[in-house]
Each structure stands twice: as structure tokens, then as C-alpha cells.
Amino acid sequence: MSTVFADGSLFSNVLILGTGFSGLATSIKLRTSWKEADFHLYDRDHSWGGTWAANTYPGCGSDIPAIWYCLTSDPKGDWSKAFPPRDEIYDYIQKLVAKYELRHMATFRTEIEGCKWNADEKLWYVNVRSLETGKKWVHKCRVLFTCKGGLVEPNRVQIEGLYTDFKGPVMHTARWDHSVDYTNKNVVVIGNGCSAIQVIAAIHDQTKTLTQFARTPQWITPRPEFVPGRITRFIFTRFPFVLHLLRTIVFFVIEAAYPMFKKGWLGTFIRRIRAHHATQNIRKKSPEKYWKVLKPDYEFACKRLIFDCGYLGPALNNPNMELTFDRVVKVESNKVITKDGNSYPADIIIDATGFDLSGGFTNIPFIGEHGVSLEDFWANGRVSAYETVLVPNFPNNFLIFGPNSATGHNSVLFAIENAIKFCESVGVKKLISGETDYIGVRAEAYDRWIHDVDSSHAQGLLQQGGCQSWYLADNGRNATTYPWSQLTAWLRARWIDKNAIVIGNGEKKTK
């Protein structure tokens, strides 16, 4: 329960910014092994869920096997499909919120306008604004967990006439309007990533025409469509150790794909096999007219892989569906015009161009020790976080699923749990209990981390595979993905370099 001061400010021992899986996993940890009840969460959305609250488009789901896409504290074995659909993931989150009595711990529809470190009090001052009433207040805390996910804010496509001349609805996949009826309508989809593939596979047979405008081809790989039966679900529910064993096996199977993201003979061998398999799948499922344009000219695993969920077939086999790489340059009242001068009818336009990752954590102004802003500290290609969690000059602020924590092959939930375990290893329980009032990372340790991350990425496919990926910043640096295996992340979260961490000391602010 937050303390209210006479000046209207609030205090909680722990604040969590974000109610997606990062915020949920942190809250569960606080509730259970960390034994802390004085915490609060803020989120700009309307409910718990993060990415899974924001993305509700048809066909939305995870591309990670279902039994691995759940928290270790609460494994789930009764998924309806091998790869979990969005609604089941969202329902799983809501059940955990109810189980751990977290619903009243969060305030929604709020914007974090800034976070400032007070060196005298060893507190974070968090400025909050209600998106519904406009009311502003300050919420102070001793420990701050920044759980800001990346797949939430839309990257809106900009085309002449799209928002001014077009008479029909325009909607981004991350802001899906369920009141729009696309039945027997001329639908245009702009984009060729995971969201576009999923939504096309889900709605193609309900539209009059569906035209997809893609910029570059993607490596689309087949996925198993195993549906757990009643007996399987019963075994997982009745005998939890079987589920834990299978989860461990799935982890190592998924992790075996890690070498393909690196140079060397093993990576080359795995990529050639996977690329051959993907190419054969294209020829098996899609019309011959698309065979050449669907196969990328860059190396396999250079971008995030996309799993086929019914896009190659039956979607591309639908006679009312057309895929083109001709670029849309103008939108008129009921049609789109392309660079080659072609015209396509349009009643509805779906923007499936992904998410805006440009601001990242700097969308929230952070002011740390010595008045240093996080945006300035991260300038000149220094965006990262030590072990994906800590940044110098910003003590007691733990970034969960922070920079360089994403993976191209494994579950984000595993990365989140590794980050939380790292927090535990550096002594966050002592910080929460008051045994210490300061935890930070040394600047020299951060510099070594940056060097090691960049050196490892320089040997990887994401920077050397001949493609432009959303993993990379405009300067070509990768501040998104983890440079080593997730097994390495698991080990580093438990066996830390204690010399890199500062505990109990910090800036002594002069009067």
C-alpha cells in the first residue's frame, strides 16, 4: 500500500514501470521469494499484458513453443496449440494476476513523464500523469524496476494521402479496431513481417480481395502444428515433473539453433540446412509465380525468422490474394497507387510495418547521478545495460528485458527471468529490505561490457548477413539482441563479477 505525504506525493518501497511479462514476473518474485508487499506498478495501457494487451489483431500469437512460453514459477501444459495464440497468453497473464492478488497493485492509463534520482534521500522521484484526467503526481521509491517492452508502440507508415485522402479505415496491427468489418472488402496490407504474415493468414478467406505490399522478402520457415490432446494435457497437469522435463528438453532444442546466428562452419552448416528446408517449403506450399520473390537474397538468420502459420498455404494460394513488391507511393479515396503506376482497390488499409523502437527506454526521461540524463549517457553508440540490467549513474534502477536482452531464437520470458535472477545475485533483496541503500555498476565494467557485446556482434549474422534488420540502429550497432547463447545468460545471471557492482556507496551530493 503506497504512503501518501502531505504534499500529495506517494511513496512505495518498490515501483515497477510496466505490466507486461517483465512487470508480472518481477511482481511475482516480490510476492514470493523476496517477501515484499510494498510495491506498485504503472502502465499506459488499460490492463495487465504489455505486448499481449496492445496487440489484438486476428491471428496474433507467439512463435515460441507454448510449453516454453510461460513463467518457470507457473508452467502451463494445457495450451490448445503447439504455438500459443494471443488470447490464451492474455488469459494466462490474467489468471496469474488473480492468483498472486496483483490487480489492485497497478494503476493504468498513466504516463511516466520522468524519473529523477535524489542522491540525498537515495530515492527515485517518478513523475506520473493520468491519461484520463490529466492529474499529475510524484511517486517516490527506493527501488525502481523499469519494465518497458518494445513491441507496443506502432511504427506508422507514411504515404502521401494515407491519412488525408483515403475514405476508409486505416489501422495498425498494434491498434486493431475490432469494429471494422473486413468481410467481402478490398483489403490492403502494408508490411511483410511477423504481424503481416499472421493477420493475412487469419483473414484472407474472408475478404473480397487482399493485396499485400512487401518491401523485402523474409525467410519463412515451417512450424510444427502439434495439437496437445486430452491425455497429454492430463499428464502435464497431473504430473508436473513431466512438464518440467519436457520444458528443459524444448529449451535445449531451441538453444541448439544459436550457432546459426554466428559465423563459422557450424553456423554455415545449420543455415544451409534450414535455408534449404525453407526453400522447399515455399515450393511445396505457395504458387510457382511467387517462388523467386519469396526467397531472400541475404543469409538465413540475418533477420528475425518468421514461422509459417498458413501464409504460404493456403493464403497465397487464394485467387483473391496478391503479393507484390511494388511500393505504394500514393493513396487516394478508394485505391492505392504504386511506384510502377499500378492501381489497387482499397476499402481498408492495414499497417503491419512493426513497432517504433527508436526511443526505447529514453521515451522516459531519466536523470541520474550528477544530473546525467540517460539519453545523453547513451549518446554516441553507448546504448546498452550491464548484463542487460544496470547502467552507470542510475543506481537502484533495474532494467528488466533491457537493451541487448532480446534473442532471435529463444523465449523473451527466459531472458526476463535471467534479468530478475541477476538482480537477485547483485543483492536486490538487501536493497529492498533496507540493509543497503545503493546498488550500481562501475563505469569501467560497463565499458568492458559494451566492448565485449560489440565484438561478439561483429562476428554475428545480424550485422554481417547482408540485410537491414530492425535489430540494428541507424548507425549499424546492435543494442537489441543478446550476443551470446541463453545458456550463457543463465550462467552469468548466477555467477556475477562482484568487482563490477557498487553496493552501499554512490554520489555524495554537496549542499
Side-chain angles (χ1 to χ4, degrees):
M1 192 70 176
S2 301
T3 302
V4 182
F5 292 108
D7 62 0
S9 64
L10 306 178
F11 174 83
S12 296
N13 199 32
V14 179
L15 272 188
I16 303 172
L17 307 184
T19 60
F21 264 120
S22 297
L24 175 61
T26 304
S27 298
I28 291 173
K29 199 71 174 178
L30 285 162
R31 275 277 198 238
T32 55
S33 61
W34 292 351
K35 307 297 182 184
E36 177 58 49
D38 185 15
F39 65 94
H40 197 79
L41 301 95
Y42 287 105
D43 198 289
R44 74 190 323 272
D45 216 317
H46 63 283
S47 70
W48 290 80
T51 293
W52 303 111
N55 292 270
T56 63
Y57 60 86
C60 182
S62 172
D63 54 10
I64 295 295
I67 63 168
W68 189 236
Y69 201 80
C70 42
L71 297 175
T72 303
S73 62
D74 293 88
K76 175 179 169 65
D78 58 350
W79 299 98
S80 67
K81 297 181 179 180
F83 292 82
R86 177 266 173 193
D87 289 351
E88 284 191 47
I89 298 172
Y90 185 75
D91 181 63
Y92 169 73
I93 292 171
Q94 303 312 312
K95 286 180 178 178
L96 292 187
V97 170
K99 174 183 176 179
Y100 292 100
E101 300 180 344
L102 297 172
R103 201 167 303 281
H104 68 286
M105 305 297 290
T107 302
F108 296 102
R109 302 298 296 144
T110 52
E111 188 79 63
I112 304 301
E113 297 193 325
C115 303
K116 187 173 183 178
W117 172 251
N118 185 301
D120 289 333
E121 298 178 280
K122 296 292 194 302
L123 298 177
W124 278 101
Y125 281 46
V126 179
N127 295 296
V128 188
R129 174 174 59 86
S130 169
L131 293 174
E132 296 180 345
T133 67
K135 180 183 176 181
K136 298 183 179 183
W137 65 94
V138 175
H139 201 141
K140 305 173 186 178
C141 66
R142 298 183 61 251
V143 187
L144 183 62
F145 288 96
T146 305
C147 302
K148 186 180 183 301
L151 305 183
V152 175
E153 292 303 317
N155 175 42
R156 299 189 186 276
V157 67
Q158 300 298 320
I159 301 173
E160 180 185 348
L162 178 60
Y163 305 108
T164 56
D165 299 335
F166 185 61
K167 301 303 182 185
V170 179
M171 54 185 177
H172 193 282
T173 50
R175 296 292 184 271
W176 192 266
D177 185 350
H178 290 272
S179 69
V180 174
D181 182 10
Y182 44 81
T183 306
N184 203 32
K185 299 290 179 63
N186 297 305
V187 177
V188 166
V189 176
I190 301 174
N192 195 33
C194 185
S195 300
I197 300 304
Q198 289 182 341
V199 75
I200 289 171
I203 72 171
H204 72 92
D205 58 350
Q206 302 168 57
T207 63
K208 182 179 180 180
T209 65
L210 194 156
T211 309
Q212 180 192 7
F213 292 91
R215 184 176 60 180
T216 56
Q218 304 271 10
W219 282 109
I220 302 174
T221 64
R223 74 177 190 184
E225 295 298 339
F226 169 74
V227 178
R230 287 185 298 174
I231 296 176
T232 302
R233 293 197 296 268
F234 172 79
I235 292 174
F236 287 163
T237 304
R238 191 67 178 270
F239 306 102
F241 74 91
V242 177
L243 179 58
H244 284 291
L245 176 61
L246 185 56
R247 279 171 53 85
T248 302
I249 293 172
V250 169
F251 166 76
F252 282 105
V253 170
I254 293 174
E255 196 62 13
Y258 166 73
M260 74 178 177
F261 293 94
K262 296 294 184 180
K263 294 288 187 180
W265 71 267
L266 180 58
T268 301
F269 177 71
I270 295 174
R271 287 193 300 275
R272 285 178 178 174
I273 292 178
R274 294 286 297 271
H276 175 75
H277 195 194
T279 302
Q280 292 300 109
N281 193 54
I282 290 172
R283 291 176 173 268
K284 177 183 178 180
K285 293 183 177 180
S286 64
E288 186 175 355
K289 65 179 180 178
Y290 293 131
W291 287 358
K292 289 185 178 180
V293 297
L294 281 172
K295 184 179 179 180
D297 58 4
Y298 52 83
E299 284 205 64
F300 192 88
C302 179
K303 290 187 178 184
R304 182 187 182 211
L305 300 179
I306 295 177
F307 288 91
D308 184 21
C309 52
Y311 170 76
L312 294 177
L316 286 181
N317 289 283
N318 187 334
N320 297 325
M321 159 92 193
E322 181 175 353
L323 165 65
T324 176
F325 288 84
D326 191 6
R327 184 166 60 90
V328 176
V329 295
K330 187 178 181 181
V331 178
E332 298 183 354
S333 61
N334 60 354
K335 60 184 177 182
V336 299
I337 311 298
T338 69
K339 183 179 180 181
D340 291 345
N342 298 313
S343 174
Y344 296 85
D347 299 318
I348 300 168
I349 295 178
I350 298 172
D351 180 356
T353 54
F355 302 91
D356 181 8
L357 304 176
S358 59
F361 284 84
T362 57
N363 284 338
I364 300 175
F366 281 89
I367 303 297
E369 293 178 311
H370 314 291
V372 175
S373 77
L374 183 60
E375 184 174 13
D376 290 343
F377 181 81
W378 273 348
N380 302 318
R382 288 175 53 84
V383 177
S384 192
Y386 180 74
E387 300 295 349
T388 78
V389 176
L390 292 173
V391 181
N393 301 305
F394 299 88
N396 301 3
N397 180 21
F398 301 89
L399 278 55
I400 307 300
F401 200 57
N404 290 120
S405 61
T407 76
H409 66 291
N410 214 313
S411 171
V412 300
L413 273 61
F414 189 69
I416 288 169
E417 292 181 328
N418 283 334
I420 293 173
K421 183 61 183 180
F422 175 80
C423 294
E424 195 169 65
S425 297
V426 299
V428 74
K429 289 176 67 176
K430 292 183 178 180
L431 187 63
I432 292 170
S433 66
E435 293 180 55
T436 186
D437 61 1
Y438 184 103
I439 293 180
V441 61
R442 300 186 188 280
E444 55 270 25
Y446 183 82
D447 291 340
R448 286 197 304 271
W449 164 265
I450 290 277
H451 176 269
D452 292 345
V453 166
D454 289 350
S455 297
S456 181
H457 276 317
Q459 304 302 315
L461 263 291
L462 296 178
Q463 286 182 259
Q464 303 295 327
C467 68
Q468 178 60 42
S469 167
W470 64 269
Y471 290 138
L472 305 180
D474 291 340
N475 62 5
R477 187 174 178 274
N478 184 349
T480 306
T481 63
Y482 192 74
W484 304 290
S485 72
Q486 285 300 291
L487 183 58
T488 300
W490 187 89
L491 293 169
R492 293 180 69 127
R494 287 155 174 79
W495 286 275
I496 65 168
D497 179 3
K498 295 183 178 180
N499 293 325
I501 308 301
V502 181
I503 299 178
N505 293 298
E507 175 194 52
K508 298 298 184 181
K509 187 176 179 181
T510 57
K511 298 290 186 180

